[in-house]
Amino acid sequence: MTSDLFALVSIGAIQLLAVISPGPSFLITARTAVAQSRADGLKVALGLGAGTVIWSSAALLGLNAVFHAVPVLFMAMKAAGALFLLYIAWMIFRHAAEPLRIEDGAERLSNTFLKGFLVQISNPKVAVFFGSIFIAMLPAQVPLWMSLALIAIVSFNELWWFSAVALFFAAPPVRRVYLRAKPWIDRVTGLFLGALGLRLLWSVQDGL
């Protein structure tokens, strides 16, 4: 039991460090919170957490092994994720100079949650990451309680961190700075996400 708890704590700490590292999830959460509302940023965080539930469950079920056995599947999902990032980057860059449009509540609810979910689920590297640390740190036979606890821990890490990001960037002073600098911030964000998408596509080409 002690070794199992130590493994859970260790995996949770390693994954939290990976979550905190800035990337597309951070940018999408921050931009949504500051450009729309705190609630929308929190919905993105919920979507990211839901995507983490899917990928961590998949890793525990052995999807990482499937990716290794069928590399073309991993490449296809990687390419799809890259194209999705490029689409988001293009939309942000294209509308950078336009004033913010606040949709009605129902539309924001579906779009912002789905946006977070798709950003997470479109990145198969998350499953590979989970698969790698799970294989390295979990016992050969993982009891059900430990699997459920692990999924809860990694999903909660994702949820609380990006909720904190959303709450911070939705604060009035940060929001005012964003509104003044929106065109340039959005262009930089779009270029950064586009570069990440192109890098993913390039890595797919190298893997073929």
Side-chain angles (χ1 to χ4, degrees), residues 46-195:
L46 282 171
L48 291 168
T52 302
V53 171
I54 299 297
W55 279 134
S56 56
S57 301
L60 285 169
L61 292 172
L63 186 57
N64 187 41
V66 174
F67 281 155
H68 284 293
V70 189
V72 68
L73 175 62
F74 178 69
M75 292 298 174
M77 293 190 69
K78 201 172 181 181
L83 292 174
F84 180 68
L85 270 184
L86 288 172
Y87 169 75
I88 293 177
W90 167 245
M91 294 302 292
I92 291 175
F93 191 89
R94 180 184 177 188
H95 298 290
E98 297 179 7
L100 294 177
R101 291 183 303 168
I102 305 299
E103 303 90 351
D104 62 73
E107 186 179 353
R108 290 209 309 266
L109 173 63
S110 60
N111 285 351
T112 50
F113 175 86
L114 189 60
K115 184 193 298 182
F117 181 76
L118 289 176
V119 164
Q120 189 75 326
I121 211 69
S122 66
N123 185 6
K125 283 187 174 180
V126 178
V128 174
F129 170 78
F130 281 136
S132 299
I133 61 172
F134 289 175
I135 290 171
M137 305 189 71
L138 289 176
Q141 299 296 324
V142 183
L144 179 61
W145 73 266
M146 194 174 184
S147 297
L148 295 176
L150 195 56
I151 293 170
I153 288 170
V154 297
S155 302
F156 180 72
N157 277 346
E158 197 92 23
L159 178 60
W160 82 258
W161 170 251
F162 288 112
S163 294
V165 170
L167 292 173
F168 173 76
F169 279 91
V174 179
R175 186 183 178 92
R176 284 194 294 270
V177 170
Y178 174 84
L179 290 175
R180 286 197 298 267
K182 177 186 179 294
W184 291 108
I185 292 175
D186 280 10
R187 288 183 183 117
V188 171
T189 299
L191 289 173
F192 183 77
L193 290 176

Side-chain angles (χ1 to χ4, degrees), residues 27-42:
L27 289 173
I28 294 299
T29 305
R31 185 184 182 278
T32 301
V34 86
Q36 292 180 233
S37 70
R38 177 182 291 110
D40 288 306
L42 292 174

